[in-house]
Amino acid sequence: MAKQIEVSDLDAYYGSHKAIEGITMTIEPRSVTAFIGPSGCGKSTFLRTLNRMHEVIPGARVDGKILLEDQDLYGDDIDPVSVRRTVGMVFQRPNPFPTMSIFDNVAAGLRLNGRRSKSELEGIVESSLKDANLWNEVKDRLNKPGSGLSGGQQQRLCIARAIAVSPAVLLMDEPCSALDPISTLAIEDLISKLKNEYTIVIVTHNMQQAARVSDKTAFFNLAGQGQPGKLIEMDETSKIFTNPTQKATEDYITGRFG
Amino acid sequence: MGRSAFRRSHGEGPFRYATTGAGILVLVIMAAIAVFLIVRAVPALQANSANFLTEQTWTPNASPPAFGIAALAWGTVISSFLALIMALPVAVGVALFISHYAPRRLASVLGYVIDLLAAVPSVVYGLWGVIFLVPFMRGPSEFLNTYLGWIPLFAGESVNSKSILTGSIVLAIMILPIIAAISREVFLQAPTMLEEASLALGATRWEMIRMSVLPFGRPGVISAAMLGLGRAMGETIAVALIFPATFTVTLQVLTGNGNSIAANIANGFGEATPIGQGALIASGLVLFVITLVVNTAARLVIARRKEYSRAAA
């Protein structure tokens, strides 16, 4: 189920502005890969190229190749909609559908994939909410709106919604940046649990978080304002945080800039 | 020295009195109009020899005067709802096309055209209706009557293209731009994070619209529809030129039967006796009540969904 991602020489643009340049990396299945780097270095842009969400912004486009196992995500005959059904995403701010109940939020992706029996839906919704460590908190109010939950619960609801369609990869764009420390801890525990089943990629500004949850860490940087972001170095998280190869990585990790 | 740092600023008092005064003035004017209308309507209602609510004639200038609101109120309601049924889906489609499908440049041109159409005076639509649509509708009306006559709406002995249906079409075209313009504004405000939420789940553009844009925009679209309905109900000149001006309650919108409150006022006020004027004013009050009921109903519909629409965005 979890799949490997292989990126080679990827550039991404917003109109004529090149946001990232020449990214090549391999993301391992059943592991957590963290992207770190200063604001504007293109790590979120890169994350969004992995499920073709980058191109929903008018004028945005991508050059290069991304292989999910052997499938070229940017191949001519590939429908971006089907890519997004395989590569799920969790956003910076929790975004449950405000007009839908908790149950319907989790079932939303399943309903897009065709008709299912009610009992099947109920089973998947329950198991997804359990996997997202939310079931015990919401099982008595599944028909209440999702917007009534706390921020941390909403984010776990969004994770449940993303994993309900059993994606191969789960992308997380700063999933804890809008949350308090306790909710953050709950999400981090969840990430450690989910990596047994999914390929997880997480963008974070919190270096302790990257150190805590990830197996590999990729450091992105940009040469200056208006310059494209580049991948500086990617390695085992323990190595990046103790003995990075690049000077720029060490400076960033130790807080000397960024 | 001696002045407190926390003293009240100078502009505050006069501004508060000015705004409060303006607010009160509006209420006073409204009340004065209502009182005037009721005072003028009551003598006519007292002189009425027929039942005002059920009678299907309108001869307030005769003696004894006899008039009833039934046919007028019915004509107003059915023509407006028909117009809304025709206009709403098209308007929502136009709004969605402009907000979510059209390329940016085309969208801005179209948006401008729609705004422009919303500002065209209704008499222009009315003239177009009389000169073009009434003759044009002869064929389609006969077709509907012949082949779909088993639907009560299209039934009837004889067909007249100066009908409720033709008037409704003119009303529909008239209210379409305003519904489309407001709906477009609402759809454009749909939060990007909700649109991305559905796209990231693998929704196509239409599925994204159904999951994120339409639920978000529903209260706005309902308000737009109510505004359009109100405009259709109050529309005077355009339909005064087209409606057959008879006083019968009928579902048969293709026949030469039907009238509306506003059209009847426009057609009848000139040669009305004092009692006749009072009768028309009473009919205007009924129109006011109908609009009030429709608007209240719409607000209830919106409020019922409030728990859900308290968006996380």
Side-chain angles (χ1 to χ4, degrees):
Chain A
M1 200 150 72
K3 287 180 177 171
Q4 188 193 51
I5 306 172
E6 226 174 303
V7 184
S8 46
D9 200 19
L10 190 93
D11 303 337
Y13 299 83
Y14 293 103
S16 58
H17 171 65
K18 196 185 228 181
I20 51 174
E21 182 177 72
I23 303 216
T24 299
M25 71 162 64
T26 303
I27 296 167
E28 297 296 339
R30 286 187 199 79
S31 71
V32 179
T33 304
F35 294 171
I36 60 169
S39 295
C41 70
K43 52 195 189 306
S44 287
T45 302
F46 177 54
L47 189 78
R48 291 167 63 100
T49 64
L50 297 177
N51 67 342
R52 300 194 62 169
M53 278 297 284
H54 174 63
E55 64 207 70
V56 306
I57 296 161
R61 66 193 170 84
V62 169
D63 261 354
K65 205 169 187 179
I66 299 177
L67 294 178
L68 183 65
E69 296 292 306
D70 296 322
Q71 188 87 286
D72 182 1
L73 295 188
Y74 284 88
D76 288 335
D77 55 341
I78 298 290
D79 181 1
V81 168
S82 65
V83 170
R84 294 178 202 132
R85 290 185 185 186
T86 320
V87 184
M89 190 163 196
V90 176
F91 294 84
Q92 191 169 352
R93 286 177 61 199
N95 56 357
F97 298 115
T99 55
M100 290 187 195
S101 67
I102 292 170
F103 184 95
D104 290 340
N105 260 288
V106 182
L110 296 165
R111 289 188 171 129
L112 289 176
N113 285 310
R115 296 202 157 274
R116 279 166 207 258
S117 70
K118 192 160 178 277
S119 62
E120 198 182 350
L121 269 184
E122 280 169 352
I124 299 175
V125 167
E126 179 174 343
S127 68
S128 305
L129 284 168
K130 278 179 173 159
D131 285 348
N133 295 341
L134 190 61
W135 175 251
N136 287 330
E137 292 155 65
V138 301
K139 63 182 177 205
D140 301 322
R141 46 172 171 160
L142 290 176
N143 293 317
K144 292 276 182 324
S147 48
L149 299 174
S150 77
Q153 290 173 324
Q154 287 189 18
Q155 193 62 303
R156 277 179 281 149
L157 178 62
C158 292
I159 294 175
R161 180 176 70 187
I163 60 182
V165 294
S166 4
V169 180
L170 196 57
L171 307 177
M172 301 179 142
D173 189 0
E174 298 185 45
C176 304
S177 65
L179 305 182
D180 66 77
I182 292 169
S183 307
T184 300
L185 196 66
I187 304 263
E188 287 180 8
D189 287 346
L190 176 57
I191 292 171
S192 313
K193 182 174 112 184
L194 291 174
K195 79 170 181 182
N196 298 319
E197 281 180 73
Y198 302 95
T199 307
I200 295 180
V201 187
I202 176 171
V203 168
T204 178
H205 268 128
N206 179 336
M207 277 183 282
Q208 287 79 26
Q209 180 170 67
R212 281 193 300 262
V213 303
S214 72
D215 302 296
K216 291 228 170 139
T217 299
F219 173 62
F220 292 77
N221 202 357
L222 72 175
Q225 274 302 318
Q227 302 284 317
K230 289 180 181 173
L231 174 63
I232 303 299
E233 148 166 44
M234 179 175 182
D235 214 323
E236 299 291 332
T237 298
S238 53
K239 182 153 187 312
I240 290 277
F241 280 95
T242 53
N243 186 21
T245 317
Q246 300 292 324
K247 175 92 170 41
T249 315
E250 191 180 342
D251 287 349
Y252 184 74
I253 304 283
T254 53
R256 247 167 281 177
F257 90 104
Chain B
M1 293 306 268
R3 287 165 129 196
S4 162
F6 304 116
R7 82 202 141 80
R8 215 177 265 276
S9 72
H10 286 307
E12 181 67 16
F15 185 72
R16 183 145 46 113
Y17 294 128
T19 48
T20 312
I24 291 171
L25 188 68
V26 169
L27 291 179
V28 168
I29 292 175
M30 292 269 291
I33 292 175
V35 167
F36 170 80
L37 291 179
I38 292 170
V39 164
R40 293 291 304 270
V42 166
L45 290 174
Q46 280 167 344
N48 190 4
S49 63
N51 185 328
F52 179 68
L53 292 179
T54 56
E55 179 65 30
Q56 295 186 33
T57 53
W58 193 268
T59 51
N61 301 324
S63 73
F67 55 92
I69 198 70
L72 293 176
W74 170 253
T76 301
V77 169
I78 192 172
S79 63
S80 304
F81 273 95
L82 274 180
L84 186 65
I85 288 166
M86 288 186 270
L88 188 60
V90 182
V92 170
V94 169
L96 280 177
F97 177 73
I98 295 176
S99 64
H100 283 85
Y101 283 93
R104 208 177 296 179
R105 187 168 301 180
L106 179 62
S108 66
V109 171
L110 271 177
Y112 183 72
V113 170
I114 295 284
D115 287 346
L116 213 64
L117 281 176
V120 172
S122 60
V123 65
V124 176
Y125 289 103
L127 287 174
W128 172 81
V130 169
I131 294 166
F132 172 78
L133 195 65
V134 168
F136 175 85
M137 279 304 287
R138 189 151 308 156
S141 297
E142 271 162 15
F143 176 88
L144 286 173
N145 183 249
T146 313
Y147 295 102
L148 296 173
W150 49 272
I151 302 173
L153 216 53
F154 300 136
E157 295 291 298
S158 67
V159 162
N160 188 331
S161 57
K162 266 191 131 186
S163 63
I164 290 276
L165 183 71
T166 308
S168 301
I169 293 174
V170 172
L171 287 175
I173 294 171
M174 227 177 71
I175 65 177
L176 194 151
I178 191 138
I179 300 177
I182 297 174
S183 303
R184 176 197 56 155
E185 285 303 316
V186 179
F187 293 151
L188 281 175
Q189 283 165 16
T192 312
M193 57 188 263
L194 290 184
E195 297 180 1
E196 292 195 331
S198 44
L199 287 176
L201 281 178
T204 60
R205 185 153 356 182
W206 169 235
E207 288 167 337
M208 179 272 278
I209 285 171
R210 270 193 359 223
M211 287 169 79
S212 302
V213 180
L214 291 181
F216 173 84
R218 186 177 295 130
V221 173
I222 293 176
S223 303
M226 286 311 123
L227 202 67
L229 190 65
R231 208 180 152 187
M233 284 180 167
E235 176 47 39
T236 308
I237 275 307
V239 292
L241 297 170
I242 294 171
F243 282 159
T246 69
F247 299 89
T248 356
V249 175
T250 174
L251 249 183
Q252 303 173 353
V253 296
L254 296 174
T255 57
N257 283 313
N259 205 348
S260 82
I261 294 175
N264 184 52
I265 293 175
N267 283 332
F269 208 83
E271 56 257 29
T273 61
I275 291 293
Q277 285 186 2
L280 292 173
I281 286 170
S283 75
L285 282 169
V286 172
L287 178 59
F288 175 73
V289 170
I290 294 175
T291 331
L292 205 68
V293 167
V294 167
N295 267 305
T296 312
R299 289 202 183 280
L300 288 178
V301 170
I302 295 169
R304 202 167 52 86
R305 301 283 303 183
K306 203 154 226 165
E307 190 183 10
Y308 281 94
S309 53
R310 185 164 36 93

